[in-house]
Amino acid sequence: MLLSLRIENFVLIDALVIHFGAGLNVLTGETGAGKSIVLDALDVVLGGKVSSRMVRVGREGLRPASGHRTTLEAEFRLTSGLRDWLQEIDIDPLEGEGLLCSRELSQSEAGLRSRSRVNGVIVNRQQVQQLRERVVEITAQGQTVQLVQGGRQRDWLDAFGGQKLQKLRSQVAVAHRDFLQTQQTLGQYRATEQQRLQQRDLLHFQHQELQQAELSNPDEADLLAQEFQRLSHSVELQAQSQQVYQLLYEQEQGAACADQLGKAVQLLEDMSTYDPQIQPLAALVQEALTQVEEAGRQIHTYGDLLETDPQRLQAISERMTQLKQICRKYGPTLTDALAYQVQVEADYQALTDGATSVEALEQASQASLAVLEKTCAQLSRLRRQAAQALEERLLYELKPLAMEKVQFQVQLTPVPPSGWGCDRITFLLSPNPGEPLQPLAETASGGEMSRFLLALKACFSRVDAVETLVFDEIDVGVSGQVAEAIAAKLHHLSHDHQVLCVTHQPIIAAMADHHFRVEKQTLPAQGADPERTVIRVHTLDLDQRRQELAQIAGGRSTQGTLAFVDTLLHQVATLRQPLSANP
């Protein structure tokens, strides 16, 4: 329930605080007095659209912040549902039993800025919308246009169907999204079929070429280069190995290295007999002699085994050329070529299995379509049940609104499955006996539209969790008995909801539990500052209500109009008597 609304610097309102009560709250006043501005402020604080014209500019000489900043605050009674929601978004409740939603608008050279808070914590637009859905439903002037929109009629029917229907509708949306995704994947696959085949042929060629290359060792190129160098210089290596052997071990002319070291060992051993300190040196030279002799034997063996092999040299040359080509195409290194071979085999296998993939995608698409159609069929069954219940309930609500002869039907027309189901919802109405049922847009007058919308809201009153219903001139285009019926309907709605209503009908205003008069006042000029127009809202006591009702009924307060008002209040007291329980 809306407890209070504080407005600062909003359109024509400089500063205003309104305290609302339970039941039916009515705002009256002359045309153009600013009644709708008050409701606009409530709409804006709960995330409604804003424009720079809403920010009230202060008088000349006032501080800029005072003239270029709008502050709106709405306090609501804290229910268990709101408490749970605050916990979901991690915001602490205030002390007491209230929830405070505020919005600040500031106008600067950079443009219009907006900031919303809940209990002092900054929140985003989505969170404000979540709060709005829990606390207030505003039916503004011109909203009857929504009645003729098929999408809106479908939403109303689904909402009337309850949580089970809405949950199934969410499942339909998920099923439709899955179906579109499988269709998109299949379509993309088919669109790239030619490219896939071309890619497969290329991979097949590369796969064969790499297989024929018989790659295995990433160091093969380096090993082949070493072998190539050895075989291509085998003659030189044989001659040089013989020279090394002679220098180390067997020299035809002069002493070889081994001979010289042998003599040095003998001399050192002789010296050690006189000086034992020489013995370690003798051991070192003896070790050198041993290594030289071993090196001589190994180089001799190397030279004996070394031979020329032209055929092997030719094979190595051809293999090295092949590996260079492989590295240029798939390298730059042989390691890279080996890795690419693994990837090519995997890609080729995936494309080779493409026919199986297409079949799997087609089966997935058919399966997702079957799920969508099955879920849509279940949704349609629930909608037909909800449509029948809505028809009965709406006719019941319309009868007291001077539409007792009206016929109403919810038409479900099959359409291709979508995220909303497979039904087109059309509200059909016949307001006069003998006239055929026709779409609401083609048959209802403005007054009938208003009554239809009010009856529709009444249908939702017992299942709607929103505590506060707001009606902005729902009585436009009606009078007499119809206005009386609307007044009674608003009163009945106020049993289960707090109702805020802007009206020009005296019978509706007389029905109010709380009556507010909205009026414009002109503030006198102050120095160089000109006159300013402001909006004021007054809570009326019983005598003030009589005067206000007289103004609404006759344009001025006279004995005759006051007598009419007293009669009206007596009539209202009768209308306010509890009615029998609704079916």
Side-chain angles (χ1 to χ4, degrees), residues 97-380:
E97 297 299 323
L99 179 148
L100 189 64
C101 178
S102 64
R103 189 173 186 183
E104 185 178 272
L105 310 177
S106 57
Q107 181 67 46
S108 65
E109 295 180 358
L112 183 64
R113 297 182 57 188
S114 171
R115 179 173 294 177
S116 296
R117 290 181 172 86
V118 171
N119 288 355
V121 179
I122 295 178
V123 292
N124 57 39
R125 179 179 300 179
Q126 181 181 2
Q127 291 169 327
V128 175
Q129 182 61 36
Q130 291 173 355
L131 175 62
R132 182 188 186 114
E133 292 172 356
R134 287 166 168 78
V135 294
V136 166
E137 181 176 342
I138 300 176
T139 304
Q141 294 186 48
Q143 194 178 3
T144 52
V145 176
Q146 296 181 4
L147 287 173
V148 303
Q149 299 173 354
R152 189 58 175 158
Q153 293 176 0
R154 178 190 60 227
D155 292 343
W156 273 326
L157 175 63
D158 290 350
F160 186 79
Q163 293 184 354
K164 183 178 180 181
L165 190 151
Q166 294 177 53
K167 181 179 180 180
L168 192 56
R169 173 166 152 171
S170 299
Q171 294 174 1
V172 166
V174 172
H176 182 254
R177 184 169 62 250
D178 292 344
F179 172 68
L180 290 181
Q181 186 173 355
T182 57
Q183 284 288 94
Q184 182 180 11
T185 303
L186 180 60
Q188 290 175 345
Y189 196 91
R190 286 172 173 168
T192 58
E193 180 72 6
Q194 183 179 7
Q195 181 181 357
R196 185 184 68 85
L197 293 175
Q198 294 174 351
Q199 181 70 11
R200 189 183 68 176
D201 290 343
L202 174 61
L203 291 176
H204 178 64
F205 170 79
Q206 293 177 340
H207 181 253
Q208 284 189 325
E209 184 176 33
L210 288 167
Q211 275 193 328
Q212 291 171 0
E214 297 181 347
L215 304 179
S216 60
N217 188 352
D219 298 325
E220 182 183 3
D222 295 335
L223 296 174
L224 289 174
Q226 295 174 13
E227 187 178 1
F228 181 84
Q229 288 293 326
R230 185 176 68 253
L231 289 175
S232 61
H233 296 84
S234 59
V235 175
E236 293 92 329
L237 289 172
Q238 283 178 337
Q240 291 169 349
S241 63
Q242 181 62 30
Q243 293 176 9
V244 171
Y245 175 73
Q246 292 175 353
L247 289 171
L248 292 177
Y249 198 75
E250 186 178 315
Q251 184 74 290
E252 293 180 358
Q253 296 180 355
C257 181
D259 295 335
Q260 298 290 346
L261 287 173
K263 292 179 180 180
V265 169
Q266 185 62 47
L267 289 173
L268 288 169
E269 288 179 348
D270 292 343
M271 293 171 64
S272 65
T273 59
Y274 302 105
D275 186 355
Q277 294 183 5
I278 298 300
Q279 187 60 43
L281 292 176
L284 285 174
V285 177
Q286 179 62 51
E287 184 180 352
L289 174 59
T290 302
Q291 292 180 348
V292 167
E293 290 174 343
E294 178 62 27
R297 286 191 292 270
Q298 290 188 17
I299 196 65
H300 185 267
T301 302
Y302 171 80
D304 289 344
L305 295 177
L306 194 63
E307 60 181 15
T308 59
D309 188 347
Q311 293 182 347
R312 174 59 180 166
L313 190 62
Q314 178 64 28
I316 291 174
S317 178
E318 292 175 355
R319 179 62 172 175
M320 290 175 65
T321 300
Q322 182 186 25
L323 293 180
K324 287 180 180 178
Q325 292 176 345
I326 291 294
C327 288
R328 280 198 300 269
K329 295 178 67 173
Y330 309 112
T333 67
L334 201 54
T335 300
D336 296 328
L338 283 165
Y340 186 76
Q341 181 180 11
V342 174
Q343 185 63 48
V344 163
E345 291 174 352
D347 293 345
Y348 177 71
Q349 187 64 37
L351 291 176
T352 302
D353 296 338
T356 304
S357 298
V358 170
E359 182 179 351
L361 289 174
E362 289 176 343
Q363 291 177 351
S365 178
Q366 291 298 322
S368 61
L369 177 59
V371 171
L372 174 60
E373 291 176 340
K374 179 180 179 180
T375 313
C376 285
Q378 294 173 346
L379 179 61
S380 295

